[in-house]
Amino acid sequence: MLEVERRGAVDLLWLDRPPVNAADLESLAALADAVYQVEASSDRPLVLSGRGPAFSAGADLYGVLDGDESYAARFVAALVRAFTTLFSFPRPLVGAVNGHAIAGGAILACCCDHVVCADGRLKVGVSELAVGVPYPLAALEVVRHAVAPERFEEVVFLAGTYSPAEARTIGFVDEVVPAESVLDRAVSVAETLGRVPAATYELIKKAVRAPALERIAQQGPAHDEAATRGWQSTEVRESIRAFLDRTVRKDG
């Protein structure tokens, strides 16, 4: 499900939930726990990537449909914890986007300080409104922080997915390299950022991210309570089911 590996002066954190690293309640909890443990155990930078053909396809929507109202509430809380834990990680965090990064997968990438993306036919984008599910506030604030301000409402409301080159223009990713070079380049960037004294990097990163983190802390609880009710509602569950049906027909 998750694997932490040491490569020189850098820790690698692998998303590993085949086939497309879609997140369920257990994997979200494991992700937040792993990041916390890395933070507590070393001063090394962290690289986040995905095993297999995808970085992450976002939420495991079948799991949401199989769960009850309690599952939906715990799932939204787990999303918030995973996003905020990554976004507030005090040391360098570099994303190595090796494949599709969709919905929550794109948000995981947006949590990173720098994102290296593979060139090719992969797609990046936040498709939550195409599915019909409400964002937790942490997810919206992470995306707002990452993308170009003039493109923020476009990517949220139109819920499109973009090629690597388009994703770079928008701000989802910072550079696009050949697929075989993604991990090496991400590790190199993390090593470079890791040369900054840890206390200095943490101080500046906190200042840069303070506006988003303050909005999450102040406005998040009320927003997320409403978002949870949305995930629990019959209307949203029907929208998820219709989206999955369309996806199956398209793939078929």
Side-chain angles (χ1 to χ4, degrees):
M1 185 176 298
L2 283 170
E3 178 185 352
V4 180
E5 173 188 342
R6 178 84 177 270
R7 179 174 294 196
V10 174
D11 286 322
L12 305 181
L13 177 56
W14 295 98
L15 306 172
D16 190 7
R17 188 170 185 263
V20 290
N21 299 321
D24 65 354
L25 185 60
E26 184 179 6
S27 62
L28 287 169
L31 174 59
D33 288 345
V35 173
Y36 177 79
Q37 291 167 8
V38 168
E39 178 182 341
S41 63
S42 79
D43 287 330
R44 292 188 294 274
L46 182 62
V47 170
L48 178 67
S49 192
R51 294 284 193 200
F55 178 74
S56 172
D60 180 350
L61 297 174
Y62 289 103
V64 172
L65 290 181
D66 289 341
D68 57 12
E69 289 189 358
S70 173
Y71 183 92
R74 288 179 288 132
F75 186 76
V76 172
L79 284 172
V80 172
R81 180 173 176 244
F83 293 148
T84 53
T85 300
L86 276 170
F87 190 63
S88 59
F89 183 73
R91 295 191 296 282
L93 174 61
V94 178
V97 174
N98 56 300
H100 296 305
I102 307 297
I107 297 167
L108 291 177
C110 287
C111 289
C112 298
D113 308 349
H114 188 90
V115 180
V116 181
C117 182
D119 200 5
R121 300 180 65 180
L122 66 88
K123 292 292 186 178
V124 180
V126 285
S127 58
E128 277 78 357
L129 292 194
V131 180
V133 297
Y135 290 87
L137 189 66
L140 277 176
E141 291 300 332
V142 166
V143 175
R144 187 199 306 273
H145 178 84
V147 305
E150 68 274 13
R151 304 295 295 274
F152 175 62
E153 292 194 2
E154 171 198 335
V155 301
V156 170
F157 292 131
L158 296 185
T161 57
Y162 304 90
S163 70
E166 292 168 330
R168 185 177 184 277
T169 298
I170 292 168
F172 281 117
V173 307
D174 297 292
E175 55 182 297
V176 178
V177 303
E180 64 271 16
S181 304
V182 170
L183 187 60
D184 286 344
R185 175 59 183 161
V187 169
S188 176
V189 172
E191 289 173 339
T192 297
L193 296 178
R195 296 188 188 110
V196 179
T200 299
Y201 197 93
E202 179 175 358
L203 178 68
I204 301 307
K205 185 169 180 176
K206 281 184 176 179
V208 168
R209 301 199 165 184
L213 290 169
E214 288 170 4
R215 286 192 292 269
I216 292 168
Q218 294 169 8
Q219 302 171 31
H223 175 95
D224 295 345
E225 183 178 345
T228 298
R229 291 195 297 271
W231 281 83
Q232 294 171 329
S233 71
T234 299
E235 181 182 19
V236 169
R237 291 175 68 86
E238 290 177 349
S239 183
I240 293 172
R241 188 171 287 108
F243 173 81
L244 292 172
D245 288 344
R246 291 194 304 272
T247 302
V248 169
R249 288 197 300 270
K250 180 180 177 181
D251 291 344

